[in-house]
Amino acid sequence: MRKKIVAGNWKMNTNLQEGIALAKGVNDALNNTNVNCDVIIGVPFTHLASVNDVIDSSKLGLAAENCADHKSGAYTGEVSAPMVASTGATYVILGHSERRQYYGETSEILKTKVNLALENNLTPIFCIGEVLEERENGSYLEVVKAQIEEALFELSAEDFDKIILAYEPVWAIGTGKTATADQAEEMHAFIRGVIAAKYGETIAENTSILYGGSCKPSNAAELFAKPNVDGGLIGGASLEVESFMGIVTAF
Ligand code: PGA
């Protein structure tokens, strides 16, 4: 059975002290709540080691929001997968549309990052999703299929089985405009079919596919009720304990 997962993506928000307080808040809330899914928080690099010290890793997973496409060396300002792993984080968000759009991350670069993450025992939360124009011109399924094929389909079955996918339609991220549950289900079922055709039914059934894009406590339950929606990647609503927990408890 594939895992149900709610993952926060804090993006470039909170200073270190605020981040530690938020992580503690989520951790405490999880201690007092019965949850039916895995919970992860994705935090800025600067926060990873300190946040790792204040959370119970058996209840709350820790993710970086990116890693470098090199292992080490003269890449001023970059943070490598081994560095991320050394903080105690066990997940890394890769291929977020903001990274693709603002920092020129191509499928070729992402392929390298995915490999480095896996070599360092980090579980990639790999993001895919179409822009509004692609939604409107009807090419969205093909666009997402190509994103998956280009960055992930050279992986062995064993390695692909470790990947968590996050479908995030770019037009829904931070816009307040959520995909409908039916739109999400259409895409998630399609993605599962693409995986099944390449790696077989068992791996496709095992792959957690999260939805992201203006997911909130008010719409999470409807999205998560869809058979192929295995949870959420949450931006804005992960920055407050109450709204994040409102989504976690939608399962
Ligand atoms: P949002 O962001 O929930 O603020 O729309 C989601 C994401 O970008 O991961």
Side-chain angles (χ1 to χ4, degrees):
M1 262 293 279
R2 58 186 176 260
K3 286 183 175 161
K4 308 283 186 198
I5 300 166
V6 173
N9 173 15
W10 293 1
K11 309 193 180 184
M12 198 173 73
N13 293 297
T14 72
N15 67 23
L16 178 60
Q17 290 72 29
E18 291 162 349
I20 292 171
L22 177 55
K24 271 187 187 158
V26 173
N27 192 72
D28 289 351
L30 289 171
N31 279 332
N32 299 318
T33 319
N34 277 331
V35 298
N36 300 312
C37 62
D38 286 3
V39 185
I40 300 166
I41 46 175
V43 313
F45 289 134
T46 45
H47 300 19
L48 286 169
S50 308
V51 164
N52 187 58
D53 283 344
V54 300
I55 62 175
D56 174 354
S57 59
S58 69
K59 292 211 171 93
L60 182 55
L62 183 59
E65 300 174 15
N66 182 29
C67 72
D69 55 346
H70 297 276
K71 208 177 286 180
S72 65
Y75 302 100
T76 302
E78 287 292 290
V79 177
S80 69
M83 291 174 186
V84 169
S86 73
T87 67
T90 55
Y91 299 88
V92 58
I93 299 169
L94 290 174
H96 192 280
S97 65
E98 288 150 17
R99 302 290 323 166
R100 294 176 189 259
Q101 209 176 326
Y102 308 143
Y103 301 97
E105 294 197 0
T106 60
S107 292
E108 210 48 42
I109 292 171
L110 292 171
K111 202 196 302 185
T112 307
K113 292 189 177 196
V114 166
N115 287 330
L116 285 166
L118 290 170
E119 277 171 29
N120 289 280
N121 298 316
L122 297 170
T123 300
I125 301 173
F126 190 80
C127 306
I128 54 217
E130 81 284 1
V131 299
L132 184 60
E133 189 192 343
E134 293 158 345
R135 169 60 55 172
E136 287 176 346
N137 71 21
S139 64
Y140 55 98
L141 296 173
E142 287 314 307
V143 165
V144 167
K145 182 178 183 208
Q147 289 173 338
I148 296 171
E149 285 174 345
E150 288 166 12
L152 302 178
F153 274 10
E154 283 175 25
L155 292 174
S156 66
E158 192 193 338
D159 277 344
F160 187 88
D161 205 24
K162 298 173 186 157
I163 305 278
I164 298 167
L165 289 175
Y167 168 58
E168 300 203 303
V170 180
W171 46 271
I173 295 177
T175 57
K177 198 174 158 194
T178 323
T180 65
D182 286 339
Q183 284 174 322
E185 175 61 16
E186 180 199 27
M187 179 62 86
H188 286 222
F190 171 77
I191 291 170
R192 207 174 300 287
V194 168
I195 299 168
K198 168 76 181 172
Y199 290 106
E201 286 293 338
T202 307
I203 286 182
E205 282 303 315
N206 272 339
T207 304
S208 298
I209 309 175
L210 317 183
Y211 168 79
S214 298
C215 188
K216 331 179 243 284
S218 57
N219 59 27
E222 192 188 349
L223 286 159
F224 298 170
K226 292 292 180 186
N228 286 290
V229 178
D230 306 312
L233 181 57
I234 318 299
S238 72
L239 293 171
E240 279 177 11
V241 175
E242 198 183 330
S243 50
F244 188 55
M245 288 304 294
I247 296 171
V248 168
T249 53
F251 271 119

